[in-house]
């Protein structure tokens, strides 16, 4: 609790901290964005990806729908592609190339790695695998079913029964190279946007994805064979139908497969390792007690508000006419917004989609959505608080705040040009006493998932979005007194791309695709 608070305050951005920073990017040691094991042969994934014809908004609204009786390797390939695959390529004059992934990620640094503990996937031997988006292949780290030890580590028997568990980790240095210790926040924002895709696609495939945020960190890290000072497990997502529980296995052997170093040298950020260590759980009993302690915190009763101050929003659209597959394929962060309005229903749909609950081991609803509305037809420009239970905006102050919004978003024009900007704030001083330091992971993760969903709802409806960073204290001040005592967690700007559109990236699908229908 103390460590999370200290970490948060010490990594807050302010105009002073940004100007006083002496950090510059050392391009000679920019980390390689792929983890390449040198001793493991690739196991090519099927490239015949399901186009996911389900409407994107319907998929975001549907929740964790289950129903399939079996999970195939094709399902797994589809899930991995739309959550973490390479969807676009940008080449730069001089020969540079960036491979962009399905889900947005701070600075396109892609520190999130994906592993699969397969139990009952047709076409795949039980085992523990690493997913490599670069060559769209799996590499087997361990032969044999590891679901039972994972279920033990997560104190969740379902992990031993369900077909597979996806494990997300982060390699710190990939992000801290640019963002230093503040990068710890990004681990959860970025695994959150990836999870927004994983949950929507998993639901669309009928795999009933369920998120576990509580687990014995050391056990999961050891199962994966990661160097836990550099890479750590963040979240688990369990998929597919229930079956007979996996048989217990003898203790897992230590594992250390060699992989290509990310760069010739790296910088250690002890602050980051300290907050991660402080937020670990040590035994399955700790995991159970931790989950119990946080029960009742989410979905707290809304503060009463005078009905006069509430601006009702139109009901969210149920369909956009764009499939989930096409929406993900087209998604890319908007690099310049035009000063044109969104409609009220477009904004309403993005807010509603962002705030759907997540099937998880802990309650959601920990993070509050504040907004600066610059240009939304039928909604007066001003500062608002979104009330999900009433699907309404609470007006905090009317006015034109484009300048303020750009300023709050670290003086980035995107924050002022957007039609509306969502500021995610969380009452850390209530969350941390209930969940301890691990509550800090939850607040950042929930904002990341909600932000990822807002992105998808925007692209489904034909407009754009961009995640943004911010001046922490100034954001809270701007929304105070309503937001007094809360902390700024994450920002997503929404709007239509300026005439030139998204200039940086051509959409070049890297996979052959099955015709839809
Ligand atoms: C959590 C998060 C924070 C981001 N912050 C910024 C930002 O402050 N400024 C910016 O221009 N883009 C920001 N972005 C956009 C990323 O730079 C972008 O996602 C990345 O370059 C990958 O490109 P793509 O989203 O177009 O695939 C952010 C994205 C995420 C997910």
């Amino acid at each position: 609790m103390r460590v999370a608070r200290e970490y948060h305050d010490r990594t807050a951005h302010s105009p002073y901290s940004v100007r006083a920073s002496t950090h510059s990017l050392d391009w000679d040691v920019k980390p390689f964005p792929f983890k390449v094991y040198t001793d493991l042969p690739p196991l090519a994934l099927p490239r015949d990806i399901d186009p996911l014809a389900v409407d994107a908004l319907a998929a975001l609204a549907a929740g964790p729908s289950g129903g399939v009786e079996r999970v195939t390797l094709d399902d797994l390939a589809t899930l991995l592609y739309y959550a973490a695959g390479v969807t676009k390529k940008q080449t730069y004059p001089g020969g540079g190339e960036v491979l962009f992934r399905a889900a947005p990620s701070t600075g396109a640094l892609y520190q999130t790695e994906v592993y699969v503990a397969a139990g009952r996937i047709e076409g795949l031997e039980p085992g523990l695998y690493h997913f490599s988006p670069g060559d769209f292949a799996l590499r087997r780290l361990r032969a044999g079913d590891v679901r039972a030890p994972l279920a033990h580590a997560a104190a969740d028997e379902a992990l031993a029964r369900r077909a597979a568990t996806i494990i997300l980790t982060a390699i710190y240095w990939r992000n801290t190279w640019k963002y230093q210790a503040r990068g710890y926040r990004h681990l959860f924002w970025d695994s959150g946007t990836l999870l927004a895709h994983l949950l929507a696609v998993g639901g669309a495939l009928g795999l009933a994805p369920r998120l576990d945020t509580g687990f014995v960190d050391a056990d999961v890290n050891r199962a994966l064979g990661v160097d836990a000072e550099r890479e750590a497990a963040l979240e688990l997502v369990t998929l597919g139908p229930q079956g007979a529980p996996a048989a217990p296995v003898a203790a897992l052997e230590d594992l250390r497969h060699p992989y290509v170093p990310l760069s010739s040298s790296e910088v250690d950020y002890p602050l980051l390792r300290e907050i991660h260590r402080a937020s670990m759980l040590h035994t399955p009993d700790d995991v159970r007690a931790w989950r119990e302690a946080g029960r009742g915190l989410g979905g707290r009763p809304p503060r009463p508000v005078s009905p006069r101050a509430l601006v009702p929003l139109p009901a969210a659209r149920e369909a956009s006419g764009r499939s989930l597959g096409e929406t993900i394929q087209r998604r890319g962060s908007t690099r310049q917004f035009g000063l044109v309005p969104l409609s009220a229903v477009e904004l309403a749909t993005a807010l509603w989609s962002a705030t759907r609950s997540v099937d998880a081991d802990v309650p959601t609803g920990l993070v509050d959505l504040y907004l600066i509305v610059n240009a939304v037809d039928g909604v007066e420009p001003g500062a608002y608080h979104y009330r999900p239970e009433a699907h309404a905006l609470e007006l905090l102050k009317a006015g034109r705040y484009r300048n303020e919004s750009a300023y709050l978003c670290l003086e980035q024009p995107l924050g002022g040009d957007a039609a509306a900007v969502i500021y995610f704030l969380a009452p850390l001083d209530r969350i941390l006493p209930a969940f301890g330091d691990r509550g800090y992971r939850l607040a950042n993760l929930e904002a990341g998932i909600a932000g990822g969903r807002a992105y998808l709802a925007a692209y489904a409806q034909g407009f754009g979005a961009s995640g943004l960073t911010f001046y922490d204290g100034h954001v809270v001040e701007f929304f105070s007194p309503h937001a007094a005592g809360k902390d700024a967690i994450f920002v997503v700007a929404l709007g239509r791309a300026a005439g030139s559109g998204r200039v940086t990236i051509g959409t070049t699908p890297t996979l052959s695709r099955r015709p839809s229908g």
Side-chain angles (χ1 to χ4, degrees):
M1 207 170 117
R2 181 190 54 78
V3 180
R5 167 50 67 198
E6 196 177 316
Y7 167 83
H8 187 75
D9 293 345
R10 285 182 61 182
T11 57
H13 276 327
S14 69
Y16 175 77
S17 73
V18 168
R19 285 169 178 82
S21 168
T22 55
H23 181 61
S24 64
L25 296 181
D26 182 352
W27 291 94
D28 290 341
V29 296
K30 182 174 191 281
F32 190 61
F34 297 104
K35 187 174 191 186
V36 181
Y37 287 97
T38 52
D39 66 336
L40 299 172
L43 206 99
L45 280 162
R47 292 191 166 231
D48 194 16
I49 299 299
D50 187 326
L52 290 182
V54 57
D55 190 278
L57 292 180
L60 284 170
S65 22
V68 294
E69 285 169 11
R70 58 197 195 111
V71 183
T72 65
L73 190 57
D74 283 351
D75 292 329
L76 182 65
T78 297
L79 190 67
L80 293 172
Y81 174 66
Y82 287 115
V86 174
T87 48
K88 300 178 215 81
K89 180 167 73 177
Q90 168 74 19
T91 41
Y92 296 93
E97 184 181 87
V98 177
L99 298 175
F100 287 86
R101 316 268 178 105
S105 182
T106 42
L109 295 170
Y110 305 116
Q111 70 281 352
T112 313
E113 293 286 332
V114 182
Y115 299 80
V116 183
R120 278 177 295 103
I121 296 184
E122 278 183 30
L124 187 65
E125 291 287 316
L128 180 70
Y129 298 84
H130 173 256
F131 169 58
S132 164
D135 56 358
F136 202 60
L138 296 175
R139 283 175 178 74
R140 195 169 71 184
L141 302 168
R142 287 184 192 274
D145 199 337
V146 297
R147 288 177 301 159
L150 276 185
H152 183 75
D156 184 352
E157 214 236 335
L159 271 72
R161 289 183 170 274
R162 299 194 59 196
T165 291
I166 308 269
I167 303 148
L168 303 185
T169 71
I171 301 183
Y172 306 155
W173 170 236
R174 280 225 194 99
N175 200 273
T176 55
W177 168 74
K178 180 169 182 184
Y179 297 106
Q180 304 172 276
R182 189 171 164 100
Y184 189 67
R185 306 178 185 211
H186 300 185
L187 310 189
F188 298 93
W189 302 351
D190 295 336
S191 57
T193 60
L194 197 152
L195 278 171
H197 289 221
L198 200 62
L199 298 172
V201 174
L205 292 171
L207 302 176
R210 180 183 156 82
L211 172 66
D212 268 323
T213 59
F215 51 87
V216 178
D217 297 76
D219 289 356
V220 176
N221 290 335
R222 223 175 60 75
L224 297 171
V226 296
D227 170 358
E229 295 294 294
R230 294 187 164 79
E231 177 180 1
L234 305 180
E235 298 98 23
L236 316 178
V237 177
T238 306
L239 304 161
Q242 297 251 4
V249 293
L252 294 175
E253 284 172 22
D254 278 339
L255 189 73
R256 195 53 61 92
H257 290 290
Y259 61 93
V260 178
L262 301 189
S263 56
S264 55
S265 66
E266 54 186 83
V267 179
D268 180 35
Y269 290 93
L271 204 57
L272 184 153
R273 284 187 295 102
E274 192 188 324
I275 166 65
H276 197 64
R277 203 178 312 114
S279 60
M280 285 182 174
L281 296 167
H282 300 288
T283 67
D285 280 344
D286 283 354
V287 176
R288 278 183 276 269
W290 177 77
R291 286 187 182 128
E292 205 47 51
R295 237 175 264 291
L297 197 65
R300 58 189 174 280
R303 257 188 2 183
V305 59
S306 145
R308 273 179 296 124
L310 280 188
V311 181
L313 287 169
R317 285 178 170 156
E318 288 175 13
S320 61
R322 188 169 279 176
S323 71
L324 182 58
E326 190 191 352
T327 297
I328 293 178
Q329 192 70 53
R330 285 184 178 224
R331 191 213 58 78
S333 298
T334 304
R335 300 293 80 197
Q336 193 185 346
F337 289 112
L339 302 179
V340 282
L342 293 179
S343 69
V345 74
E346 286 172 332
L347 175 65
T349 304
L351 295 174
W352 194 84
S353 302
T355 48
R356 295 306 83 213
S357 66
V358 175
D359 184 19
D361 61 340
V362 287
T364 42
L366 303 177
V367 177
D368 298 321
L369 281 66
Y370 288 77
L371 283 119
I372 292 182
V373 171
N374 293 321
V376 176
D377 287 334
V379 181
E380 186 181 9
Y384 294 89
H385 173 229
Y386 175 58
R387 312 271 303 212
E389 78 294 344
H391 187 51
L393 294 177
E394 180 181 352
L395 179 65
L396 305 181
K397 50 189 176 188
R400 299 185 182 278
Y401 294 117
R402 281 193 191 274
N403 285 342
E404 289 80 352
S405 193
Y407 174 78
L408 294 177
C409 297
L410 220 71
E411 303 173 48
Q412 299 181 87
L414 283 166
D417 294 342
V421 182
I422 309 175
Y423 292 83
F424 295 94
L425 278 76
L428 287 182
D429 288 343
R430 278 166 40 86
I431 295 171
L432 299 180
F435 279 113
D437 286 311
R438 205 179 184 90
Y440 191 64
R441 301 189 191 184
L442 294 183
N444 284 282
L445 180 68
E446 183 180 318
I449 295 174
R453 287 169 160 181
Y455 256 92
L456 291 175
Y459 284 87
Q461 298 181 88
F463 58 95
S466 181
L468 290 174
T469 197
F470 46 87
Y471 286 138
D472 293 71
H474 289 271
V475 168
V476 178
E477 259 168 47
F478 178 82
F479 290 105
S480 288
H482 193 286
K486 295 182 187 174
D487 288 280
I489 301 291
F490 180 39
V491 174
V492 173
L494 303 171
R496 294 189 204 288
S500 53
R502 189 163 181 285
V503 289
T504 50
I505 296 166
T507 50
T508 314
T510 54
L511 300 178
S512 63
R513 311 181 57 80
R514 205 152 56 197
S516 45

